[in-house]
Amino acid sequence: MYYTPLRQRLRDWAISITIVAALVAGVFLWLNHMKEQDAQERAAMANTKIGYMADPVQKLVKRADGSYYKAIPEAETPYTGTYDCTTIDDHDVVVPRSVSVKEQREQRQFPWHHSTFINDITVRVIQPHEADRTPRVERLRCTVEPVDASKPSYTGDPHDRSRLKIGPDQEGTDAGSLSGLFSNDGQQLCQDRITILVPDGSIQP
């Protein structure tokens, strides 16, 4: 019967212990790095506030059927979809356009991959007493900006649905204070607000 010399067994044990210790140390360092990264992201999010920037207003003109827009709901979700309309630009050129609840945007680092983001679209009838009765589409694009410009803040796309979620969409959160409001559930930080203003709701299809 062959017996492994004690020195060989001790060396094998030492190698095994070294490998296990290296693995444990690697896991510890990785967990520590993730913890630090999470703390940095939380600090950046805590110093981030959501704002809105207005796009140029699109003036609506009547379509051939006498309406200002036509809502085309998605088959599986009747409350979402696309709103077809006709606008007129500053040079009096009529342009067919559409706004959609769901939009796609190419990711800069991966041109072949699209990210989907959600818009908040409402239709509002212009009341007779309002000063501006021009049929139009108004869009407020959501933006992020630092609370304190001297500290790190979130600088990515607020439409990105893969980022941590902050803001009033989070249940039980305070829109004025974003620190500690996280939910990694794949929802975007904020939505663009699109309002379709028409003078008479009765003629809509």
Side-chain angles (χ1 to χ4, degrees):
M1 182 177 292
Y2 176 75
Y3 293 97
T4 304
L6 179 59
R7 182 177 297 177
Q8 179 68 33
R9 282 185 288 174
L10 291 175
R11 186 172 63 182
D12 292 344
W13 289 344
I15 292 174
S16 300
I17 292 171
T18 302
I19 293 173
V20 171
L23 289 173
V24 171
V27 170
F28 175 79
L29 290 174
W30 179 77
L31 290 175
N32 190 50
H33 171 72
M34 294 299 293
K35 186 177 180 180
E36 290 179 357
Q37 187 175 12
D38 180 67
Q40 291 175 358
E41 287 190 358
R42 286 179 179 273
M45 287 296 188
N47 189 44
T48 301
K49 62 180 178 180
I50 293 173
Y52 290 91
M53 181 181 299
D55 268 0
V57 173
Q58 298 180 8
K59 298 177 182 178
L60 290 175
V61 295
K62 283 188 178 181
R63 297 166 359 108
D65 61 1
S67 66
Y68 286 97
Y69 74 94
K70 183 174 181 63
I72 306 173
E74 291 187 352
E76 66 277 9
T77 312
Y79 300 105
T80 64
T82 301
Y83 296 77
D84 288 337
C85 57
T86 305
T87 64
I88 185 168
D89 64 15
D90 294 335
H91 303 287
D92 294 331
V93 177
V94 176
V95 182
R97 295 190 184 276
S98 65
V99 292
S100 179
V101 172
K102 290 184 180 179
E103 292 189 26
Q104 286 189 338
R105 176 178 300 168
E106 289 186 1
Q107 293 185 346
R108 294 178 181 177
Q109 60 270 41
F110 303 110
W112 61 88
H113 186 268
H114 295 81
S115 60
T116 301
F117 61 93
I118 305 298
N119 295 316
D120 178 17
I121 299 180
T122 58
V123 177
R124 188 169 71 81
V125 177
I126 304 172
Q127 299 301 318
H129 60 79
E130 294 188 42
D132 188 355
R133 291 184 49 79
T134 305
R136 60 195 184 275
V137 177
E138 298 176 347
R139 180 169 191 152
L140 296 175
R141 293 192 180 271
C142 63
T143 61
V144 287
E145 55 187 81
V147 176
D148 183 348
S150 65
K151 297 178 181 178
S153 64
Y154 177 70
T155 57
D157 185 356
H159 303 94
D160 189 353
R161 295 175 65 85
S162 66
R163 297 300 305 171
L164 294 174
K165 182 180 174 184
I166 60 174
D169 290 339
Q170 177 67 36
E171 182 179 356
T173 63
D174 179 6
S177 176
L178 303 179
S179 60
L181 310 182
F182 298 92
S183 175
N184 196 7
D185 55 2
Q187 298 196 34
Q188 60 200 55
L189 302 186
C190 60
Q191 298 176 352
D192 285 4
R193 297 174 178 173
I194 301 174
T195 305
I196 303 172
L197 296 103
V198 293
D200 187 350
S202 64
I203 65 174
Q204 303 310 316

